[in-house]
Amino acid sequence: MRPIRLSLAGTVLFGAVFLLTGLLALPPFSAVGAAAVTVFLPLWLCLSLLVAARHMTPSPGIVRKMFLRRFTAAVAVPAVISLAVWVVSEAYWRGGPVITATRTPILLGCGLALWIAAVVVTPQLLSTSSAQAHRAGRASAVVFVPLWAAITVVNLLVGVFGAGYTFAEELPILVVNLSIPVAVAILSASVRPARSHAEFALAYGTRES
């Protein structure tokens, strides 16, 4: 487990959740920060516990204590950031912001942020060998693509029923919002990482001279 990567993934994940909440909310909704934290904290706790279960192997007490300290710090950082953003949201944005302008670039940014978080977290739940790292990338795509498709459809419905646009106006935006992050996810998942020297030697029986 790499605590810094886990913390960064959690922070990126919360940023995406916060912005998506602001994008999918409609005025005069005034609890964007609270809603984002309500979604993020249980999700982050579940993911963190899965990572801990994956990496908590039987070991001497001092090693386990070290792991727990690093793991707790890695999990706490995104949680504290989410609570701080909630406080800032209430104090300076009156519970917002509800995003009504430049929605498409922000939504695309959210999609890429979610994909980055998925790419970082999924290998933490699986083995780190190159073969299984490739499998983890494909697993990330399998989870991400339908999730992102659902989010873009909800965004379309918000535009049609909330903002008053027609399906004809929203459909091209749906295609853009869906296709770019999905293309990035599929292309990233299709790239097979290079084998380490040890794995190459094990696979082909080569020996160091």
Side-chain angles (χ1 to χ4, degrees):
M1 186 195 73
R2 299 184 179 181
I4 294 178
R5 287 190 180 183
L6 188 62
S7 287
L8 288 175
T11 303
V12 170
L13 178 61
F14 172 71
V17 170
F18 181 76
L19 290 175
L20 284 172
T21 306
L23 284 166
L24 301 179
L26 293 172
F29 187 75
S30 59
V32 171
V37 169
T38 301
V39 172
F40 170 74
L41 285 182
L43 175 62
W44 181 236
L45 178 61
C46 290
L47 289 174
S48 301
L49 290 176
L50 289 173
V51 171
R54 169 66 180 81
H55 291 273
M56 181 66 80
T57 55
S59 57
I62 187 171
V63 175
R64 180 166 295 184
K65 288 179 181 178
M66 184 182 300
F67 170 83
L68 288 174
R69 284 198 297 268
R70 295 172 63 191
F71 174 76
T72 301
V75 172
V77 169
V80 170
I81 290 174
S82 70
L83 294 173
V85 171
W86 181 11
V87 171
V88 171
S89 170
E90 295 293 334
Y92 295 98
W93 292 324
R94 298 181 181 180
V98 174
I99 301 171
T100 57
T102 61
R103 293 173 54 87
T104 298
I106 295 175
L107 190 63
L108 289 173
C110 290
L112 296 177
L114 283 176
W115 171 243
I116 291 171
V119 167
V120 174
V121 171
T122 304
Q124 301 276 2
L125 303 175
L126 302 173
S127 178
T128 55
S129 69
S130 62
Q132 293 193 347
H134 181 57
R135 193 178 304 126
R138 290 184 294 179
S140 300
V142 168
V143 173
F144 171 78
V145 170
L147 174 63
W148 186 243
I151 290 172
T152 54
V153 169
V154 171
N155 182 66
L156 178 144
L157 296 176
V158 168
V160 171
F161 297 105
Y165 294 101
T166 65
F167 276 102
E169 291 172 319
E170 284 289 331
L171 194 56
I173 298 175
L174 169 69
V175 172
V176 172
N177 288 335
L178 179 62
S179 60
I180 294 177
V182 166
V184 171
I186 293 175
L187 289 174
S188 300
S190 65
V191 176
R192 182 177 292 275
R195 291 187 175 187
S196 67
H197 178 73
E199 290 173 332
F200 186 87
L202 181 64
Y204 294 98
T206 58
R207 296 182 179 179
E208 297 186 47
S209 58

